[in-house]
Amino acid sequence: MTMPEKKEHADLRKIIKKWVKSNLDSYCLTIIDDDPRNPLGSSVPAIRGSIPDLFGHSYKHGIQVIGEAKTSNDIINKHTEKQLRAYLEHLNVYNKKGYLIVAVALRDKEEMINLVRKIVREVNINILVNIFVIDDISKNITIAWNVR
């Protein structure tokens, strides 16, 4: 049995979904988010052993989007680093058409941006993934890594 989703996590997940829908709408993405109310069988696919909070794709446009919501007590740890590294390596094959969107509380934004940049430096491949960090208050997106 899975634990019920915490409100803060659910809110962050919804922010990602809303941002993806409003900013990448022209790509006609199929979006699945890890909502406990999803009908059976419409779950987010595991990516290299981790399940993101949101998964979007458009075969027509060759785009893939992974969204990850992180609460304050779940940023600096091995699990989060492993997840983000797996998502980056997975998205890298989309050659500038992969998007990693991480949502955090405003107070955690700098910490998350620093973590993402640290992982990018550690991964021994040229990262061709657009990485955005979005916060829960202003909902402003900060580009943590830009490949354009």
Side-chain angles (χ1 to χ4, degrees), residues 16-17 19-32 54-66 94 97-99 101:
I16 296 169
K17 189 173 185 179
W19 189 90
V20 169
K21 282 185 165 179
S22 58
N23 289 276
L24 301 174
D25 189 50
S26 60
Y27 296 118
C28 306
L29 292 167
T30 300
I31 298 171
I32 309 164
L54 180 137
F55 177 81
H57 65 87
S58 166
Y59 294 119
K60 180 181 173 195
H61 296 282
I63 286 177
Q64 198 161 96
V65 179
I66 292 176
Y94 288 87
K97 290 186 172 187
Y99 293 83
I101 297 154

Side-chain angles (χ1 to χ4, degrees), residues 53-89:
D53 293 309
L54 180 137
F55 177 81
H57 65 87
S58 166
Y59 294 119
K60 180 181 173 195
H61 296 282
I63 286 177
Q64 198 161 96
V65 179
I66 292 176
E68 187 59 42
K70 286 292 171 190
T71 55
S72 292
N73 59 352
D74 194 27
I75 294 175
I76 302 301
N77 62 53
K78 292 286 176 224
H79 171 74
T80 296
E81 276 195 48
K82 182 177 163 279
Q83 267 185 316
L84 296 178
R85 187 173 280 119
Y87 298 157
L88 287 175
E89 290 171 354

